[in-house]
Amino acid sequence: MRIMSNDNLNILILCNRPTKNSQAATVFDHLDAFQKYSTHNIFELSTIHSIPSRVKLDRFDVIVIHYTLGIGFEHYLNSKTKSIISTSNALKVVFIQDEYRVINDVTQSLIDIGADIVFTCVPEGEIEKVYLPDKLPKLTVINNLCGYVPEHPDTTPTPLIKDRPIDVGYRSRKMPYWLGTLGVEKWRIVDDFKEHAKDLDLVLDLSYEESDRIYGDRWPKFLASCKAVLGVESGSSVFDFTGDIQHNVEEYMAKHPNAEFEEVFQKFLKNEEGKIKLNQISPRAFETAALKTLMVLYEGDYSNILIPWKHYVPLKKDFSNFDEVIEVLNTPSKAQKIVDAAYQDLIIEKTYSYERFISLFDNVLIREFNRRDFKLNPDSYTQNSYKFDLYTSIDYLGRYMLSSILQKMLLNSPPIRKLVFNLWFSLPINFQKRLRPYVRIINK
């Protein structure tokens, strides 16, 4: 029997919900949107490695693996868990981000669990280069953005551009060389902008140091205190199907820690650069527009959403139009006009809202559920029966309590959190990789 748009599916969201103030707000917005806007019954299970012993996956109509569980990595979903998922009669949906990594392992994992639908950030024209039809012939691939308009902008005051204390702000992290030119741009823009602005009377707050990262309520306050923020396209310009590129670059950097990007590029990346296009708009663009802050962005496509000189000030990557950019920064009326247009088109119009995204998600599920002749589960969980099975799973409770204690000790206090992350990023990359599976115990 076909289900209709007003029929409710019971959907399990399998995820790795991050600790408060440990990740960008867009991760929480994305997870929360399912419960907030879906017309279906949403159940969430935040776990890694394994499924709680009493929770039965075959009591759901749909299983969604969220992008916070990297499906291609054993330390997120082990083989036993994938096998349990594969035996379920539910429709299987996967959200994937950072799709430039270990693509062959991701593909095999999709085959192993019997995935039906993937929501991808890969642009339409590039999808079949990543999700090969001959290997995944029954997979439905849906393009979506990696984030949408934030759900909580109205709580932060947004002064006029002229009244803000910081002229230009920016936060990023020093992305590894194996992500290619696009990854390196995310932090090089800081050094280049500082160099070009060194003789100007500008208040800059730009950093790519991990210790300077800003999370939680402090992030929108920072954006709202800036007249302008820098930005680049999200994504990677190198796709690593086997993981060998990452391995080879990291091994080389361990032996040559002071190697410049150009040297590494010539040795390992030049034949891989730009083969698949993943350039896209970052959720940060929506955050910035919502807080009425001017975007100064490297020239790019930005998923064909942002229009240069209407929604943002385009900065050439060689900084040849730097004076033109500064002229806008020094003319509040010009900057305010661009800010107001971005706010109207990106925020007020609601084209890129989480509510509309979840509407797409719901419609895709109904369509694919019917097309593939799935049936509603007659023994589906209720919210109460699910919670009973979840919280009477001794294995889950033990992990939950341990992770809660570790989170309070290591992540809840900003000074301690900063110390922990400084210590982590001071470790050699190879040592981080060996430790990472054990560090995951902090996650619930």
Side-chain angles (χ1 to χ4, degrees):
M1 183 179 72
R2 289 177 59 84
I3 64 170
M4 307 303 291
S5 58
N6 59 347
D7 286 324
N8 287 338
L9 299 169
N10 279 1
I11 302 173
L12 177 67
I13 308 290
L14 275 175
C15 66
N16 176 30
R17 181 176 281 273
T19 307
K20 185 179 179 182
N21 296 331
S22 69
Q23 291 288 337
T26 185
V27 179
F28 297 95
D29 285 345
H30 198 277
L31 278 170
D32 293 342
F34 295 98
Q35 190 74 56
K36 189 172 183 179
Y37 295 118
S38 178
T39 60
H40 302 297
N41 302 321
I42 302 297
F43 303 76
E44 183 179 297
L45 174 56
S46 180
T47 188
I48 56 174
H49 304 308
S50 59
I51 305 298
S53 56
R54 290 180 56 86
V55 172
K56 308 304 179 188
L57 297 190
D58 57 8
R59 295 186 66 183
F60 296 97
D61 301 310
V62 180
I63 297 172
V64 175
I65 301 175
H66 191 258
Y67 65 75
T68 48
L69 286 174
I71 193 171
F73 298 91
E74 186 76 9
H75 56 260
Y76 280 115
L77 291 174
N78 58 33
S79 300
K80 180 180 178 182
T81 301
K82 291 175 187 174
S83 178
I84 294 172
I85 294 171
S86 72
T87 60
S88 166
N89 290 323
L91 184 76
K92 301 171 185 72
V93 183
V94 183
F95 281 84
I96 306 182
Q97 293 194 6
D98 296 345
E99 292 166 274
Y100 42 80
R101 304 179 66 183
V102 292
I103 299 161
N104 290 351
D105 289 344
V106 170
T107 298
Q108 188 58 53
S109 293
L110 294 174
I111 295 170
D112 290 344
I113 69 166
D116 300 297
I117 307 168
V118 161
F119 282 82
T120 176
C121 296
V122 176
E124 293 279 359
E126 306 289 285
I127 285 174
E128 290 192 357
K129 298 178 185 177
V130 180
Y131 300 101
L132 305 177
D134 60 328
K135 292 188 176 182
L136 300 161
K138 297 181 180 179
L139 187 70
T140 297
V141 186
I142 306 294
N143 173 259
N144 72 152
L145 301 179
C146 53
Y148 294 84
V149 173
E151 292 287 288
H152 42 76
D154 294 338
T155 60
T156 304
T158 53
L160 294 173
I161 294 295
K162 64 182 181 63
D163 297 326
R164 302 186 181 198
I166 301 170
D167 289 305
V168 186
Y170 182 67
R171 286 295 185 277
S172 185
R173 53 167 50 102
K174 194 164 186 179
M175 307 303 288
Y177 288 170
W178 55 268
L179 294 181
T181 301
L182 189 59
V184 171
E185 285 177 359
K186 292 177 173 65
W187 56 270
R188 276 196 168 174
I189 192 174
V190 171
D191 294 338
D192 291 344
F193 197 93
K194 284 181 177 179
E195 176 62 25
H196 282 81
K198 64 182 180 182
D199 296 326
L200 302 178
D201 187 23
L202 292 176
V203 178
L204 305 181
D205 192 343
L206 317 173
S207 178
Y208 49 75
E209 299 297 334
E210 191 66 33
S211 59
D212 292 331
R213 299 277 289 180
I214 302 173
Y215 295 109
D217 296 339
R218 294 173 56 232
W219 175 245
K221 290 177 181 177
F222 172 72
L223 288 180
S225 69
C226 298
K227 296 175 182 175
V229 294
L230 303 179
V232 304
E233 287 185 294
S234 183
S236 169
S237 50
V238 170
F239 273 67
D240 188 355
F241 279 78
T242 63
D244 289 345
I245 297 174
Q246 178 181 353
H247 173 77
N248 291 337
V249 170
E250 288 180 345
E251 190 175 65
Y252 186 81
M253 293 301 297
K255 296 176 181 177
H256 307 87
N258 297 319
E260 295 291 339
F261 172 69
E262 286 71 20
E263 175 186 342
V264 174
F265 182 88
Q266 290 300 319
K267 284 181 175 291
F268 301 104
L269 306 176
K270 65 179 180 179
N271 294 328
E272 304 298 328
E273 175 80 18
K275 281 187 175 181
I276 301 175
K277 185 179 176 65
L278 187 59
N279 305 46
Q280 58 190 292
I281 189 171
S282 166
R284 188 175 294 184
F286 297 121
E287 292 178 320
T288 306
L291 292 163
K292 301 180 181 179
T293 302
L294 182 68
M295 290 181 274
V296 176
L297 310 179
Y298 273 164
E299 290 180 319
D301 295 333
Y302 297 97
S303 304
N304 297 316
I305 292 172
L306 301 182
I307 301 173
W309 295 114
K310 181 180 183 183
H311 299 137
Y312 73 99
V313 177
L315 172 63
K316 293 184 181 298
K317 294 180 182 180
D318 63 2
F319 279 71
S320 58
N321 71 329
F322 183 70
D323 290 342
E324 189 178 13
V325 171
I326 296 301
E327 194 272 330
V328 176
L329 284 175
N330 288 331
T331 311
S333 60
K334 290 184 179 180
Q336 194 68 53
K337 183 178 179 180
I338 295 172
V339 164
D340 292 342
Y343 185 79
Q344 176 63 39
D345 293 352
L346 303 182
I347 311 303
I348 298 298
E349 292 296 328
K350 297 189 181 298
T351 304
Y352 306 105
S353 67
Y354 275 101
E355 185 174 9
R356 188 164 294 189
F357 154 65
I358 294 297
S359 177
L360 166 69
F361 168 78
D362 283 354
N363 290 337
V364 168
L365 292 197
I366 293 292
R367 185 191 74 199
E368 292 297 312
F369 205 84
N370 285 327
R371 187 175 74 84
R372 296 168 185 268
D373 201 29
F374 278 82
K375 300 293 187 294
L376 288 174
N377 193 323
D379 188 34
S380 289
Y381 274 118
T382 64
Q383 291 290 347
N384 287 337
S385 63
Y386 169 67
K387 289 177 182 177
F388 180 84
D389 277 3
L390 178 62
Y391 293 117
T392 56
S393 296
I394 302 302
D395 55 334
Y396 176 79
L397 279 180
R399 292 198 307 270
Y400 187 92
M401 291 173 64
L402 177 59
S403 66
S404 296
I405 293 169
L406 291 173
Q407 286 174 14
K408 288 179 181 178
M409 290 174 55
L410 302 176
L411 299 177
N412 276 16
S413 168
I416 295 177
R417 182 188 177 281
K418 185 174 182 178
L419 180 64
V420 168
F421 275 81
N422 283 342
L423 176 62
W424 174 257
F425 284 99
S426 69
L427 298 174
I429 291 174
N430 289 338
F431 196 47
Q432 287 182 21
K433 289 173 69 174
R434 288 195 293 270
L435 283 178
R436 187 167 280 113
Y438 303 102
V439 172
R440 298 293 177 194
I441 198 173
I442 297 175
N443 296 95
K444 295 180 182 177

